[in-house]
């Protein structure tokens, strides 16, 4: 066992740690290092994956078990969730006990690789920080992943190390030399591409560091269907709507970005990777393409991998289902094995028809959204022999009224009469059946009429010059109730009506418009202050300002007679673009206050603005940011 070894840093490849060991112990010949670490001088060093890990573990000590090295200092966890279980076990066994030959072929990094990397990659910002903290930079495993072009820790572009392994001896280990590192930081200029690349890199890093061995190819296939169903991309019979999926997927990423990721899709190819990944195919698909699909399906990557296998796309839950025959011994127990799912001919929503062995058959529209939905009946299609035999017994006893029997059997009284004849009992045939209808007269026990009267009087006192029509607009509920139940009081207290015979419609004397202008203006100013204080921004429009205080009709029809109000409205009303600009500025201010990184693409997403519309206000926002967030 070695008495000294360079402990790997967080996310450092074992290859890099061995390279630093070789440097610090001062070995001249790399065969000496291989003999000390692997006890075999003919081992060929491998960058991302390693072999002979059982032997390495014995030499390095108990802390460095083969599983610890695989999970923390190789890229294997990035590929593991997307493999069949048998292949995963085979690869782990090869890394522990064999020389590692053929690992890259089995894992899929040679033939059919996506965004294949040649050489060693590093992040200039990470390297700069490491040199300052540790005195040296090291080789990160997340920076070597295929399809990862940005550092997931800071969004900086990765750079290729100047020394190429292809030009060195196969036995040689490379250590990052500070003098050969380009520490100038660069970012992706295209914000849309940058946002998508960063999301991919962050997702890849999450997969790499969370050892998702509880997942496998089959479980992921079910998760994909759950989320495809949530997006409306699964048919009633659980088939993927491939054409719609293709269109939505292309719309989400764009053809250019998919070309960057070497993941273009030929929709006419029956075996394009998107169809393969969403079908129960034996073919394997590169992890980067799995990530492209996952990021399309969900916002929260952690929730996708953390959530339990609940079969959301199983429209009515898992079998067996519940029998809802009210007179069966197994009532509300999960005994139903037969379910037929069809589509409603109007809405195309799924309709489940449940058939129990007791003969009771019922249906309901889906999908079930809550556990309570399992106990709902949309329509009884067949009552069945158990229900009919029970009813027959009750009818023959002759001890129950029609209403009582309908309650026991949980059906309409007319259904009891129908089966009474069908079963040839005819118990209710000799009497005149009167089916009682529920009393639908509205009860007003909870209404305080005095409270309604006080509300009306308060409005009249607040707006003494308002007409009856305007008062009614402000107190619709109270006015309607009092009109029906105490009309005398209502019309006695309302403003006096205008005798239309005496109105000179060409005269303005019947209304003091100057006073009205002041009142309306004051109401709008109060509403405007309220709108601006709302946590969720609301566009400043006539409707939003005037509806709440019942002055919209007068503003729309008589605005020319309200010059002060008109001038004020012209100064505050927002166009759609102005509202989008205000919304975006509020988001920027919140991010600055919270000391969060400011990225315009993120502001656009949080504001919910289309790219085409956002481009119109982008320059304004950039100037706003340059001014230091001052209006």
């Amino acid at each position: 066992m070695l008495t000294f070894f360079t402990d790997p840093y967080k996310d450092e490849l074992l290859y890099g740690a061995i390279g630093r060991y070789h440097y610090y112990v001062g070995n001249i010949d790399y065969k000496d290092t291989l003999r000390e670490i692997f006890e075999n001088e003919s081992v060929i060093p491998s960058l991302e994956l390693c072999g002979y890990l059982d032997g390495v573990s014995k030499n390095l000590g108990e802390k460095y078990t083969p599983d610890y090295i695989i999970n923390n200092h190789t890229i294997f966890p990035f590929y593991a969730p997307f493999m069949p279980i048998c292949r995963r076990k085979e690869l782990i066994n090869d890394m522990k006990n064999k020389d590692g030959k053929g690992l890259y072929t089995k894992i899929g990094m040679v033939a059919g690789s996506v965004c294949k990397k040649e050489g060693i990659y590093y992040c200039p910002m990470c390297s700069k920080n490491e040199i300052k903290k540790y005195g040296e930079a090291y080789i990160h495993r997340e920076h070597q992943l295929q399809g990862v072009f940005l550092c997931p820790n800071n969004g900086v572009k990765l750079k290729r190390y100047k020394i190429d392994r292809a030009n060195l001896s196969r036995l040689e280990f490379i250590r990052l030399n500070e003098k050969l590192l380009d520490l100038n930081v660069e970012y992706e200029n295209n914000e849309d591409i940058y946002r998508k690349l960063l999301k991919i890199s962050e997702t890849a890093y999450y997969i790499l560091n969370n050892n998702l061995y509880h997942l496998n190819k089959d479980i992921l296939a079910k998760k994909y269907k759950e989320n495809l169903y949530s997006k409306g991309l699964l048919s009633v019979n659980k088939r993927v709507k491939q054409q719609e999926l293709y269109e939505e997927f292309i719309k989400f990423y764009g053809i250019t970005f998919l070309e960057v990721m070497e993941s273009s899709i030929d929709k006419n190819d029956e075996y394009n990777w998107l169809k393969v990944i969403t079908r129960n195919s034996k073919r394997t698909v590169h992890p980067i393409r799995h990530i492209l699909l996952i990021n399309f399906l969900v916002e929260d990557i952690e929730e996708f991998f953390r959530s339990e296998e609940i079969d959301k796309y199983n429209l009515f839950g898992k079998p067996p289902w519940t029998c809802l025959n009210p007179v069966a011994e197994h009532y509300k127990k999960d005994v139903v094995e037969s379910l037929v799912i069809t589509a409603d001919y109007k809405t195309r929503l799924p309709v489940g028809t449940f058939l129990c062995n007791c003969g009771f058959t019922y249906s309901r529209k889906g999908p079930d959204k809550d556990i309570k939905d399992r106990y709902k009946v949309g329509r009884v299609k067949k009552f069945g022999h158990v229900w009919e035999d029970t009813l027959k017994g009750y009818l023959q006893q002759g001890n129950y009224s029609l209403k009582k029997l309908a309650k026991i059997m949980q059906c309409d009284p007319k259904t009891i009469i129908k089966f009474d004849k069908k079963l040839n009992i005819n118990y209710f045939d000799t009497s005149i059946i009167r089916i009682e209808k529920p009393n639908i007269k509205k009860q007003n026990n909870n209404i305080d009429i005095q409270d309604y009267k006080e509300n009306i009087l308060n409005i009249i006192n607040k707006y003494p010059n308002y007409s009856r029509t305007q008062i009614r607009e402000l107190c619709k509920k109270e006015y309607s109730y009092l009109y029906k139940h105490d009309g005398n009081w209502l019309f006695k207290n309302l403003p006096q009506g205008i005798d239309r015979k005496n109105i000179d419609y060409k005269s303005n004397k019947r209304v003091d418009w100057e006073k009205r202008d002041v009142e309306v203006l004051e109401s709008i100013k109060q509403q405007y202050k309220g709108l601006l204080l709302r946590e969720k921004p609301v566009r400043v429009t006539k409707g939003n300002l005037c509806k709440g205080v019942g002055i919209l009709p007068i503003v729309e029809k008589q605005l020319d007679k309200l010059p002060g109000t008109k001038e004020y409205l012209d100064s505050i009303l927002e166009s759609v673009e102005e509202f989008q600009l205000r919304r975006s500025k509020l988001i920027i201010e919140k991010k600055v206050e919270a000391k969060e990184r400011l990225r315009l693409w993120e502001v656009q997403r949080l504001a919910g603005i289309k790219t085409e519309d956002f481009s119109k206000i982008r320059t304004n926002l950039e100037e706003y940011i340059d001014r230091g967030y001052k209006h």
Side-chain angles (χ1 to χ4, degrees):
M1 181 174 141
L2 292 175
T3 55
F4 165 78
F5 184 68
T6 48
D7 285 336
Y9 295 114
K10 184 179 184 309
D11 287 318
E12 182 179 19
L13 286 168
L14 179 63
Y15 171 95
I18 295 174
R20 290 189 300 106
Y21 167 83
H22 174 83
Y23 174 80
Y24 286 120
V25 297
N27 284 339
I28 298 174
D29 192 336
Y30 282 99
K31 287 188 177 182
D32 293 334
T33 299
L34 292 172
R35 194 182 303 111
E36 291 167 6
I37 301 294
F38 295 97
E39 295 184 342
N40 187 336
E41 62 182 37
S42 63
V43 172
I44 305 300
S46 174
L47 180 66
E48 298 97 341
L49 302 168
C50 297
Y52 288 135
L53 289 180
D54 273 343
V56 171
S57 177
K58 291 175 184 176
N59 285 331
L60 300 185
E62 293 181 358
K63 176 182 176 182
Y64 297 102
T65 65
D67 288 327
Y68 175 84
I69 295 171
I70 289 171
N71 293 335
N72 295 279
H73 301 292
T74 75
I75 65 166
F76 181 76
F78 177 62
Y79 288 82
F82 310 108
M83 293 181 189
I85 295 175
C86 57
R87 187 183 301 180
R88 184 195 301 171
K89 290 180 178 178
E90 180 186 350
L91 280 161
I92 291 174
N93 184 62
D94 285 355
M95 283 191 283
K96 288 180 179 180
N97 304 303
K98 297 183 180 180
D99 59 8
K101 290 180 181 178
L103 286 176
Y104 289 91
T105 303
K106 290 178 182 178
I107 208 169
M109 286 183 64
V110 180
S113 282
V114 175
C115 303
K116 187 176 180 181
K117 287 183 174 179
E118 302 290 348
I120 295 173
Y121 283 78
Y122 67 95
C123 165
M125 188 176 287
C126 288
S127 297
K128 203 172 190 177
N129 294 334
E130 288 153 12
I131 291 169
K132 187 176 180 180
K133 186 175 182 180
Y134 306 120
E136 63 182 343
Y138 62 90
I139 302 172
H140 287 245
R141 58 179 182 160
E142 69 269 25
H143 297 159
Q144 317 312 315
L145 297 177
Q146 294 177 351
V148 172
F149 301 111
L150 305 178
C151 176
N153 304 306
N154 49 51
V156 171
K157 269 188 176 182
L158 299 178
K159 296 187 176 182
R160 185 174 173 178
Y161 190 53
K162 290 182 178 179
I163 297 178
D164 194 337
R165 294 176 64 221
N167 299 325
L168 302 175
S169 164
R170 291 198 302 166
L171 301 181
E172 190 169 342
F173 287 91
I174 294 175
R175 169 183 167 270
L176 295 184
N177 186 334
E178 180 182 348
K179 295 179 181 179
L180 299 177
L181 296 175
D182 178 3
L183 299 180
N184 293 313
V185 172
E186 296 177 18
Y187 290 94
E188 170 60 49
N189 293 325
N190 185 308
E191 278 204 27
D192 182 57
I193 290 179
Y194 173 81
R195 174 173 55 84
K196 292 169 182 172
L197 287 177
L198 183 60
K199 181 75 172 175
I200 285 173
S201 133
E202 290 172 343
T203 303
Y205 190 63
Y206 177 85
I207 294 169
L208 185 67
N209 277 277
N210 282 275
N211 298 336
L212 304 172
Y213 291 97
H214 64 285
L215 299 174
N216 59 54
K217 191 168 173 285
D218 294 332
I219 292 176
L220 283 172
K222 290 182 179 180
K223 283 183 171 289
Y224 292 152
K225 282 202 170 183
E226 291 174 15
N227 287 280
L228 285 167
Y229 164 71
S230 298
K231 280 186 167 286
L233 295 171
L234 212 61
S235 67
V236 170
N237 58 4
K238 302 177 189 176
R239 293 179 66 86
V240 178
K241 300 175 183 176
Q242 291 290 349
Q243 180 61 32
E244 292 181 30
L245 171 59
Y246 169 80
E247 291 171 359
E248 290 293 321
F249 197 81
I250 295 296
K251 183 179 177 182
F252 183 82
Y253 282 112
I255 293 174
T256 302
F257 182 77
L258 291 175
E259 288 174 351
V260 170
M261 298 307 300
E262 297 179 16
S263 297
S264 299
I265 304 165
D266 180 0
K267 67 176 181 179
N268 297 317
D269 181 3
E270 194 59 27
Y271 296 98
N272 71 55
W273 69 263
L274 188 59
K275 287 183 179 179
V276 170
I277 204 173
T278 53
R279 290 174 175 169
N280 294 326
S281 172
K282 293 182 180 180
R283 300 186 180 203
T284 54
V285 178
H286 195 279
I288 281 296
R289 289 176 173 170
H290 280 277
I291 288 173
L292 285 170
L293 179 60
I294 292 168
N295 286 346
F296 163 74
L297 292 173
V298 298
E299 282 284 335
D300 185 355
I301 188 67
E302 293 185 28
E303 183 63 29
F304 176 84
F305 285 112
R306 182 173 60 243
S307 61
E308 297 179 0
E309 186 184 344
I310 58 175
D311 264 347
K312 288 180 183 174
Y313 72 94
N314 197 324
L315 306 175
F316 297 93
K318 292 182 178 180
W321 297 278
T322 310
C323 178
L324 298 178
N325 183 348
V327 295
E329 291 181 358
H330 52 258
Y331 178 49
K332 288 191 175 180
K333 292 183 179 179
D334 295 336
V335 296
V336 177
E337 298 287 347
S338 178
L339 167 64
V340 177
I341 300 177
T342 55
D344 182 83
Y345 77 99
K346 283 185 179 178
T347 64
R348 305 311 296 166
L349 288 172
V351 176
T353 300
F354 304 83
L355 173 61
C356 183
N357 289 334
C358 70
F360 191 82
T361 304
Y362 68 95
S363 65
R364 68 169 171 270
K365 284 185 182 179
D368 286 357
K369 296 179 180 178
D370 189 277
I371 190 65
K372 296 177 182 177
D373 291 343
R374 289 179 72 92
Y375 305 99
K376 291 180 180 178
V377 174
R379 185 164 71 92
V380 176
K381 292 190 171 183
K382 191 177 180 182
F383 287 96
H385 59 276
V386 171
W387 189 91
E388 291 184 19
D389 289 346
T390 304
L391 176 60
K392 186 176 182 178
Y394 285 132
L395 290 170
Q396 289 174 338
Q397 289 176 24
N399 297 327
Y400 300 94
S401 68
L402 179 60
K403 185 177 178 181
K404 180 69 174 177
L405 202 49
K407 186 176 181 180
I408 293 172
M409 304 304 293
Q410 292 190 21
C411 65
D412 190 274
K414 291 179 181 178
T415 302
I416 300 294
I417 295 171
K418 173 186 170 184
F419 276 92
D420 183 31
K421 292 179 179 179
K422 179 181 175 182
L423 298 170
N424 204 27
I425 306 297
N426 298 316
Y427 173 72
F428 295 106
D429 191 39
T430 57
S431 60
I432 299 173
I433 308 300
R434 184 175 64 86
I435 300 173
E436 295 184 12
K437 294 184 178 179
N439 184 4
I440 60 172
K441 184 178 180 181
K442 187 175 180 181
Q443 299 297 317
N444 298 300
N445 297 334
N446 297 324
I447 292 177
D448 187 343
I449 193 169
Q450 193 58 39
D451 189 40
Y452 276 18
K453 290 178 180 179
E454 288 178 8
N455 288 345
I456 294 245
L457 292 174
N458 288 335
I459 292 296
I460 292 171
N461 291 331
K462 187 175 181 181
Y463 303 104
N465 295 312
Y466 272 26
S467 66
R468 288 187 175 189
T469 303
Q470 289 172 306
I471 297 296
R472 183 176 64 190
E473 195 68 30
L474 294 177
C475 308
K476 288 182 179 179
K477 179 175 64 174
E478 293 89 342
Y479 187 98
S480 177
Y481 182 81
L482 291 169
Y483 182 85
K484 293 178 182 177
H485 297 89
D486 199 346
N488 290 334
W489 181 93
L490 179 65
F491 292 109
K492 182 179 177 181
N493 287 276
L494 282 173
Q496 187 175 356
I498 299 172
D499 187 352
R500 295 187 179 274
K501 293 179 181 178
N502 299 322
I503 294 176
D504 179 1
Y505 287 94
K506 295 181 180 180
S507 171
N508 289 332
K509 291 182 179 179
R510 69 186 185 92
V511 177
D512 187 344
W513 287 106
E514 288 185 9
K515 189 174 182 180
R516 182 69 56 86
D517 190 16
V518 172
E519 293 172 351
V520 172
L521 178 58
E522 184 59 32
S523 295
I524 288 177
K525 284 182 177 180
Q526 293 300 321
Q527 286 293 104
Y528 180 56
K529 289 178 183 178
L531 282 184
L532 295 182
L533 290 174
R534 290 193 189 182
E535 186 175 348
K536 185 176 180 180
V538 176
R539 184 181 163 200
V540 181
T541 63
K542 285 182 185 178
N544 288 333
L545 289 169
C546 302
K547 281 181 182 177
V549 288
I551 58 175
L552 184 58
I554 193 172
V555 169
E556 287 184 333
K557 296 176 182 179
Q558 307 289 352
L559 190 58
D560 289 338
K561 297 176 182 178
L562 307 170
T565 302
K566 186 177 186 301
E567 183 180 356
Y568 185 68
L569 284 174
D570 289 340
S571 69
I572 65 169
L573 293 182
E574 291 180 317
S575 66
V576 173
E577 188 173 310
E578 287 170 336
F579 176 51
Q580 291 172 341
L581 189 60
R582 178 165 67 90
R583 204 159 73 232
S584 299
K585 287 180 178 179
L586 288 172
I587 292 169
I588 290 171
E589 290 166 6
K590 286 181 181 178
K591 282 190 160 292
V592 171
E593 187 178 343
K595 297 182 180 179
E596 295 179 3
R597 183 176 177 184
L598 199 55
R599 296 178 286 200
L600 283 181
W601 63 263
E602 194 171 5
V603 173
Q604 177 190 347
R605 179 173 62 80
L606 292 172
I609 303 173
K610 294 180 180 178
T611 302
E612 181 181 349
D613 296 328
F614 194 75
S615 63
K616 297 176 184 176
I617 63 172
R618 186 186 185 91
T619 303
N620 196 312
L621 289 175
E622 289 172 347
E623 292 174 355
Y624 177 66
I625 293 170
D626 292 339
R627 290 197 303 269
Y629 323 110
K630 294 178 182 178
H631 292 281

